[in-house]
Amino acid sequence: MEGPKGAALDLGIQGMSCSACAARIEKSLGKLGGVQEAAVSYASRRAWIRYAPDETDAEAIKERVRRLGFGVSDPGDRSAEYAAMRLLRLRLLVSALLTLPLLWAMAGHYEALSFVPVPAFIRSGWVQLALATAIQFGVGLPFYQNAWSALRAGGANMDVLVALGTSAAYLYSHYVVFAHGAAGSHPDGMLPLYFDTGAVVITAVLLGKYMESRSAARALRESDGYAKLKAEEITVLRADEARRVPAASVRDGDIVLVGPGGLVPVDGIVTGGQSEVDESLLTGESRAVPKRPGSRVWAGTTNRGDTLRIRTETTGEGTLLSRIDALLRQAQASKTGIQRKVDRISARFVPLMLLASAMTYLAWALWLAPGDGSRAALSALAVLLVACPCALGLATPISLVIASGKLARRGIVVKEASALESLAKVEVVLLDKTGTLTEGRPCVAGMQPAPGWSAAAMLKLAAAAEAESPHPYAAAVREEARRRGLVPPPATGRLEWTGYGVAADCAEGRIAVGGRQLAQQERWSGMKRAEGFAAIREAGGETVLFVALGGECIGAISLGDRLKRESPEAVQALRTDGLDVWLATGDAAGPAAAAAKEAGIARWKAGMLPEDKLQLIRALQREGRVVAMAGDGWNDAPALAAADAGFAMAGGTDAALAAGHVALLRSSLTGIHAAVAASRLTMRNIKQNLGFAFLYNIVMVPVAACGLLEPWMAGAAMALSSVTVVGNALRLSGRLARELR
Ligand code: ADP
Ligand code: MG
């Protein structure tokens, strides 16, 4: 059972060493009573949890994470991450310094390096033992801790391989020191010491981890950026005096002052001043938007002109900015189909490698080189050390996190990572008309009252019925009535039929306003004159609404809406991408055909109820086609949800965030093309990452098993492989930056 709509918790998590850790936290949190949903992302080092507040609380959840051996921090606060990185750097430094003498001693083993003088004390087995012990159990301690907590939880991760591999190398050398009493040195040709192997592997792994976390942090910093748009202190007007107060103390209704160049700290309505506001970080719209009293402004935008007075409507976590930020984090922690498959493989990876290593040992000891225990041990060791589940686990999420972050900065908010995956395969794009292809700001273009009625009397009643509808046509009717100074009579018993129209009761009787389908369904009388008017207006591309009082038509209103300036270009871009673009609208055939022609769309369907759009999508999907749909967030929501990728156009910004998989805050069709292009690049990048990670393991593990890799080389290769994946994901970051400009 779905519990009551739970509270959500966002956490930063420190100390995860690979995606197996993320899976472990996720599993453990999932078992905690009261937790409804938990998603943990290794790539962004974050967790997103939904829980029932009456059954558990944030503290209990954090405690559970800590008990698993991980650090917990505020998600916006990257300082814990930096601290973890500094600690990692320190470990790396110490490890490298202690490894250096061991490498120096190793130079003595190689003919080519025999010119390097090696001081006698470094040659001492005891000195080497001391150095190696310090690295193995000092610097390397966290590997054991992580491996232990992974094993205790019944999983295995990269730390298990590293801890096992380096311990084996260490113990093997230990054995050599004591068995051969090699306290002095070993003459050339004798068994070399393997202290260096464990040490070098630990240093290499630390170097790899460090490089990986540095570049991951860089990529994430570029893509999460919303945190710094949040104001710490806000200037408010209290008792006619401007005061700086902490952001948390600002309440709804407070008047906030934002000077030139200042960051708007709340969502609200301008009550004084005229200016231009840069909304690019929120919506991707690069032109500054003019604001005057009555205009809406949003937190996270920048005032580019004179001081504005803003009446606060929403603060803190409720602002559009905060909600977008939360959606983005939720998306970044969500899993795609590919990711789930990879996770299933990764879960078996470590046990499989342990098996491969054991088999390598047996093959060498019993068959390839019987009697040569060291050949067998070294090859088995190399197998353990070369295998890298880390690159596999990282391949998908790191690219998705980068792509969703980059898109968000363009006002394209991906709410589910899986939508990015489907978008790369999309074949058909269905577009709604009003507000999607067109501006969605229709104006009354003409009226035809029935005999005995004046245009004003009809309009007044129509406006009364439309008084509370969120539909753009309703707004147009209200606006025309207001412009003519008409005051609609009060009405009760409101009804709204999605895709048909509205109705309400007033003193004169029951008023209904809607399209032809509504008139036909309710069998209105006296439609003839209105139909004649409609035929002419619809042929010209206008939309006609019919108005009835008590079931009798009292006139018709025609509305004109303009195509968005960029629509034809955006449609063309989608077709160039190889996509099939359709128009599916609830409007009549006339306006549908006109809009389709103007936008360059070859196929259109008119008179589609929201339910019909849903059926159309299902039918296309049954044919095996991958379908994207763009529409408004409120009456197209079911169709948007059914599409493989649903784009909600943000007319009023709010409904868009709730519907579909992707919200287009700039409400422009160019966003669809951008998202498709980004998803194709991203999926290619992920495939490269996965291809590399698989190929790496498939090639390197057999090479190691054949005894062709020294254990330290195996360790270094393993460390480098995950760095390669992160490096490739960073390349995506650059590509996307250019593509989305
Ligand atoms: P679209 O698919 O173009 O977005 P809708 O599904 O929103 O169209 O609406 C379809 C038709 O239903 C409109 O063309 C109009 O005739 C009628 N309609 C819907 N809502 C209203 C309303 N509030 N007032 C009048 N007519 C409406
Ligand atoms: Mg619509």
Side-chain angles (χ1 to χ4, degrees):
M1 258 292 289
E2 209 16 4
K5 225 177 155 29
L9 178 66
D10 254 317
L11 295 175
I13 299 210
Q14 281 77 47
M16 290 192 281
S17 58
C18 68
S19 47
C21 299
R24 184 150 48 88
I25 300 175
E26 212 171 273
K27 209 162 112 193
S28 170
L29 285 179
K31 285 192 203 134
L32 193 65
V35 170
Q36 296 158 339
E37 220 182 322
V40 182
S41 158
Y42 169 63
S44 58
R45 270 78 168 176
R46 278 179 171 169
W48 180 87
I49 301 118
R50 194 206 298 286
Y51 63 97
D54 44 346
E55 286 176 56
T56 184
D57 59 20
E59 222 14 78
I61 293 171
K62 288 183 191 169
E63 190 45 44
R64 170 66 69 111
V65 177
R66 285 195 204 101
R67 272 231 313 276
L68 290 172
F70 300 95
V72 176
S73 68
D74 198 33
D77 172 22
R78 293 257 174 214
S79 63
E81 211 162 284
Y82 289 134
M85 211 135 82
R86 274 198 301 276
L87 184 65
L88 187 59
R89 194 173 57 196
L90 185 68
R91 278 172 70 201
L92 171 63
L93 222 66
V94 171
S95 184
L97 281 176
L98 297 180
T99 308
L100 226 56
L102 294 174
L103 283 178
W104 196 354
M106 196 166 79
H109 297 316
Y110 292 100
E111 199 66 45
L113 293 174
S114 57
F115 61 90
V116 180
V118 181
F121 80 96
I122 290 182
R123 283 167 175 266
S124 151
W126 295 110
V127 172
Q128 296 191 17
L129 176 64
L131 289 173
T133 307
I135 297 174
Q136 189 70 38
F137 300 108
V139 180
L141 185 64
F143 290 119
Y144 287 105
Q145 290 167 332
N146 291 340
W148 172 238
S149 46
L151 289 175
R152 214 178 33 183
N157 60 6
M158 190 193 89
D159 297 296
V160 174
L161 294 179
V162 173
L164 211 62
T166 56
S167 308
Y170 174 86
L171 289 175
Y172 180 71
S173 321
H174 207 137
Y175 161 79
V176 173
V177 173
F178 290 102
H180 297 263
S185 63
H186 41 274
D188 287 358
M190 261 193 69
L191 279 172
L193 291 177
Y194 285 101
F195 290 142
D196 39 44
T197 299
V200 171
V201 168
I202 286 180
T203 306
V205 170
L206 288 174
L207 181 65
K209 283 262 123 196
Y210 181 65
M211 283 166 70
E212 180 203 311
S213 65
R214 282 244 345 204
S215 20
R218 202 178 104 203
L220 298 177
R221 221 177 14 249
E222 271 179 20
S223 56
D224 71 4
Y226 282 124
K228 58 177 169 288
L229 294 178
K230 288 181 185 159
E232 303 260 314
E233 279 199 332
I234 299 182
T235 310
V236 294
L237 212 54
R238 291 215 172 124
D240 270 340
E241 228 181 287
R243 277 196 213 154
R244 299 281 293 165
V245 301
S249 71
V250 174
R251 297 279 165 265
D252 296 357
D254 274 344
I255 301 292
V256 171
L257 294 180
V258 182
L263 201 63
V264 177
V266 296
D267 287 3
I269 307 272
V270 176
T271 57
Q274 276 203 7
S275 182
E276 290 202 321
V277 168
D278 177 356
E279 299 184 341
S280 60
L281 291 181
L282 201 57
T283 65
E285 171 61 69
S286 50
R287 276 169 298 169
V289 184
K291 301 286 176 185
R292 54 191 163 85
S295 304
R296 229 162 224 300
V297 285
W298 286 277
T301 58
T302 307
N303 187 0
R304 289 270 172 252
D306 297 335
T307 301
L308 284 175
R309 271 171 183 243
I310 298 159
R311 190 179 67 240
T312 306
E313 297 216 311
T314 315
T315 58
E317 297 306 305
T319 61
L320 185 63
L321 177 74
S322 295
R323 285 184 297 148
I324 293 173
D325 192 24
L327 283 175
L328 189 64
R329 273 187 254 139
Q330 180 185 341
Q332 293 183 334
S334 71
K335 293 236 159 85
T336 64
I338 292 192
Q339 169 97 58
R340 278 196 208 94
K341 272 182 226 153
V342 173
D343 281 355
R344 272 201 297 277
I345 298 173
S346 307
R348 305 218 175 86
F349 188 86
V350 172
L352 197 72
M353 285 306 133
L354 295 178
L355 191 71
S357 168
M359 279 165 52
T360 302
Y361 183 88
L362 291 178
W364 279 96
L366 301 177
W367 177 43
L368 291 170
D372 186 352
S374 81
R375 268 313 279 281
L378 289 178
S379 304
L381 205 59
V383 168
L384 276 188
L385 291 173
V386 85
C388 185
C390 211
L392 266 185
L394 209 53
T396 315
I398 187 104
S399 307
L400 285 174
V401 164
I402 287 174
S404 54
K406 276 271 188 289
L407 284 169
R409 299 303 285 275
R410 284 274 320 253
I412 303 167
V413 183
V414 178
K415 289 163 41 192
E416 277 170 42
S418 56
L420 262 185
E421 199 178 302
S422 334
L423 264 181
K425 294 178 282 186
V426 156
E427 299 160 62
V428 187
V429 182
L430 297 187
L431 302 176
D432 177 39
K433 185 175 73 78
T434 317
T436 301
L437 205 56
T438 69
E439 293 275 2
R441 279 195 295 271
C443 288
V444 170
M447 286 191 278
Q448 175 72 286
W453 281 84
S454 71
M458 171 191 66
L459 182 64
K460 206 159 88 174
L461 291 184
E466 296 280 20
E468 284 173 11
S469 167
H471 203 284
Y473 294 162
V477 170
R478 290 194 298 260
E479 171 60 24
E480 183 66 14
R482 202 191 54 80
R483 207 178 58 81
R484 295 179 178 225
L486 304 172
V487 181
T492 55
R494 292 179 189 288
L495 275 180
E496 173 143 15
W497 302 283
T498 325
Y500 285 95
V502 295
D505 295 311
C506 71
E508 285 89 341
R510 184 149 184 85
I511 319 162
V513 186
R516 186 171 287 104
Q517 283 171 312
L518 180 65
Q520 282 166 356
Q521 193 149 317
E522 302 210 316
R523 299 170 187 283
W524 295 353
S525 57
M527 285 286 289
K528 199 149 176 250
R529 192 148 161 205
E531 279 290 10
F533 167 79
I536 297 165
R537 291 298 183 144
E538 286 180 349
E542 287 174 9
T543 297
V544 177
L545 301 182
F546 300 91
V547 187
L549 180 64
E552 192 180 323
C553 182
I554 60 169
I557 303 171
S558 84
L559 303 164
D561 194 3
R562 265 201 316 268
L563 229 52
K564 281 178 194 156
R565 209 161 34 90
E566 67 279 7
S567 287
E569 196 188 321
V571 169
Q572 189 49 46
L574 289 173
R575 295 179 61 158
T576 312
D577 282 345
L579 305 179
D580 228 353
V581 183
W582 293 20
L583 175 64
T585 176
D587 215 334
K597 182 150 176 259
E598 205 185 334
I601 298 176
R603 303 189 65 165
W604 53 268
K605 282 178 169 280
M608 303 273 284
L609 295 177
E611 174 63 21
D612 300 329
K613 295 181 189 174
L614 185 69
Q615 294 308 335
L616 176 63
I617 290 174
R618 296 248 163 87
L620 285 166
Q621 285 171 333
R622 272 196 299 276
E623 285 172 23
R625 311 245 261 165
V626 182
V627 186
M629 153 104 201
D632 56 57
W634 54 281
N635 75 17
D636 291 323
L640 293 184
D644 297 287
F647 288 87
M649 311 296 287
T653 26
D654 264 300
L657 285 182
H661 313 107
V662 185
L664 295 182
L665 297 184
R666 188 154 50 146
S667 193
S668 156
L669 288 179
T670 49
I672 302 180
H673 167 70
V676 169
S679 99
R680 287 179 178 176
L681 284 175
T682 307
M683 293 319 288
R684 199 162 73 206
N685 194 262
I686 288 176
K687 282 181 188 143
Q688 288 163 352
N689 287 346
L690 284 176
F692 171 79
F694 275 113
L695 196 71
Y696 166 85
N697 283 303
I698 289 169
V699 171
M700 295 306 265
V701 171
V703 167
C706 294
L708 296 174
L709 276 186
E710 295 241 9
W712 70 267
M713 290 177 189
M718 183 263 266
L720 280 179
S721 71
S722 52
V723 173
T724 308
V725 165
V726 175
N728 192 42
L730 265 180
R731 220 170 47 88
L732 172 69
S733 177
R735 270 306 296 274
L736 286 174
R738 264 171 280 139
E739 183 71 28
L740 296 178
R741 219 180 355 227

